[in-house]
Amino acid sequence: MEAVRLTTSSNFHLLNILVVRCFTSLKPLRRLSFPVSASAMESDASCNLVLCGKSSVETEIAKCLKNKNSLKLPDNTKVSLFLESEAKHLVKDDDSFNLLLFMNSIITHRFGRFLIWSPRLSSTHDVVSHNFSELPVGSVCVTDIQFKGRGRTKNVWESPKGCLMYSFTLEMEDGRVVPLIQYVVSLAVTEAVKDVCDKKGLLYIDVKIKWPNDLYLNGLKVGGILCTSTYRSKKFHVSVGVGLNVDNEQPTTCLNAVLKGMSPESTLLKREEILGAFFHKFEKFFDLFMDQGFKSLEELYYRTWLHSEQRVIVEEKVQDQVVQNVVTIQGLTSSGYLLAIGDDNQMYELHPDGNR
């Protein structure tokens, strides 16, 4: 069952709250990782953050932030800052995020060049959004374990090792296109996975986009995107969060499990490689998006999502009677919602409703 609602513009049919049932079968949405109790979250009143940069410029920023003790977290969490050279004691095992491997994979000009890493953190999104003005634009925060992850509807969960969890910053001026940035991010994630597979000579993993912000593989959710923004000094400060199941098979599946299923001898994907490839793809897509609009990416996006020509039933309540209309998804509207057409050629704009 898919729930959406329809709103209006001068070209769209007027409807109230409704329910949409997809004829195309999709698995129920499941969280990326495990729930955690509030008491467990509250018991973690401190965290360690490691700062590192791609070049001497970002390294100097790291030193400045550490010396000033500039980074803070909400809820009075105590923050301890370390430079990369001071952080060896925080690396507990080979499963820790490899800072050197990631930095060696980065070939961008803006995004991902300044990194914040923590072995265990409440939320990467809290780090970048709470310290947006202190960080260079394009900064990324990564953690190995996240115990207060955030979703679109304020869901909270714990993300285990093996999941690539990160948040990064960007600035935008045109508020009309800010809602579309989640589609650019989704596309960059799917293309990054393809890119890493190609470079490592691996079989193709077909990660798909489930509108508006989920990532699916073989009918199961393996990732999601969260974008939030604030408006200051005539610019939108956008914080982008991404979670991707790379090497944790629970609670659904992960990229490496699918790879091993296709070829047991396959080399496994690494979080650091995927993140480096992501920023390479995203920087290119973001520049295209800013210069030419989302139209420049639409064809690739439609090849990657799950919804082309999907038939859905729209139910609306009219004078205590439920009226059903069958519509076919055509693409996206200019504002980023689903564009559908009815059998009567009436156009519809479909909006998401909560988790569904």
Side-chain angles (χ1 to χ4, degrees), residues 195-320:
D195 187 62
V196 175
C197 287
D198 287 342
K199 288 180 178 177
K200 296 170 79 78
L202 300 174
L203 294 173
Y204 178 70
I205 297 180
D206 194 18
V207 178
K208 292 291 189 181
I209 297 169
K210 180 177 182 290
W211 184 87
N213 61 349
D214 288 328
L215 301 169
Y216 270 64
L217 180 59
N218 295 345
L220 296 173
K221 182 178 177 181
V222 293
I225 288 91
L226 171 69
C227 297
T228 61
S229 66
T230 58
Y231 186 69
R232 293 179 184 175
S233 303
K234 298 183 179 181
K235 289 186 178 181
F236 288 90
H237 292 183
V238 183
S239 300
V240 179
V242 179
L244 181 66
N245 286 7
V246 176
D247 203 29
N248 55 304
E249 297 188 33
Q250 298 297 328
T252 56
T253 188
C254 66
L255 305 187
N256 280 335
V258 172
L259 261 181
K260 286 184 285 188
M262 295 189 299
S263 176
E265 304 302 319
S266 288
T267 303
L268 299 183
L269 301 174
K270 296 181 181 295
R271 293 178 297 155
E272 300 86 351
E273 296 169 331
I274 294 174
L275 186 57
F278 166 80
F279 281 120
H280 178 58
K281 293 292 184 181
F282 177 77
E283 190 164 275
K284 288 185 174 182
F285 290 166
F286 183 71
D287 288 342
L288 271 175
F289 176 55
M290 289 292 94
D291 291 342
Q292 303 176 29
F294 192 71
K295 284 286 184 184
S296 60
L297 299 170
E298 262 190 354
E299 182 180 346
L300 181 58
Y301 184 84
Y302 291 149
R303 291 204 304 263
T304 310
W305 78 339
L306 292 167
H307 308 294
S308 293
E309 298 300 318
Q310 192 174 46
R311 298 274 286 174
V312 297
I313 296 176
V314 176
E315 293 182 349
E316 66 167 320
K317 195 172 183 179
V318 180
Q319 297 179 347
D320 296 326

Side-chain angles (χ1 to χ4, degrees), residues 91-98 144 161-162 247 271-272:
V91 180
K92 301 298 183 182
D93 50 49
D94 292 339
D95 292 332
S96 295
F97 191 84
N98 190 320
D144 294 333
K161 278 194 171 184
D247 203 29
R271 293 178 297 155
E272 300 86 351

Side-chain angles (χ1 to χ4, degrees), residues 6-16 18 314 316 318 325 327 340 344 346-349:
L6 274 67
T7 58
T8 65
S9 72
S10 58
N11 298 320
F12 293 108
H13 186 51
L14 173 61
L15 287 178
N16 295 316
L18 48 81
V314 176
E316 66 167 320
V318 180
N325 294 293
V327 301
D344 57 356
Q346 177 67 56
M347 303 302 293
Y348 295 82
E349 185 177 75

Side-chain angles (χ1 to χ4, degrees), residues 108-147:
T108 56
H109 298 290
R110 288 165 292 163
F111 294 103
R113 295 178 62 87
F114 184 81
L115 176 96
I116 304 169
W117 169 71
S118 177
R120 190 168 187 271
L121 186 62
S122 57
S123 166
T124 59
H125 213 78
D126 284 348
V127 172
V128 298
S129 61
H130 200 68
N131 299 283
F132 197 103
S133 299
E134 301 290 339
L135 299 172
V137 174
S139 297
V140 59
C141 179
V142 183
T143 188
D144 294 333
I145 297 175
Q146 184 171 247
F147 59 88

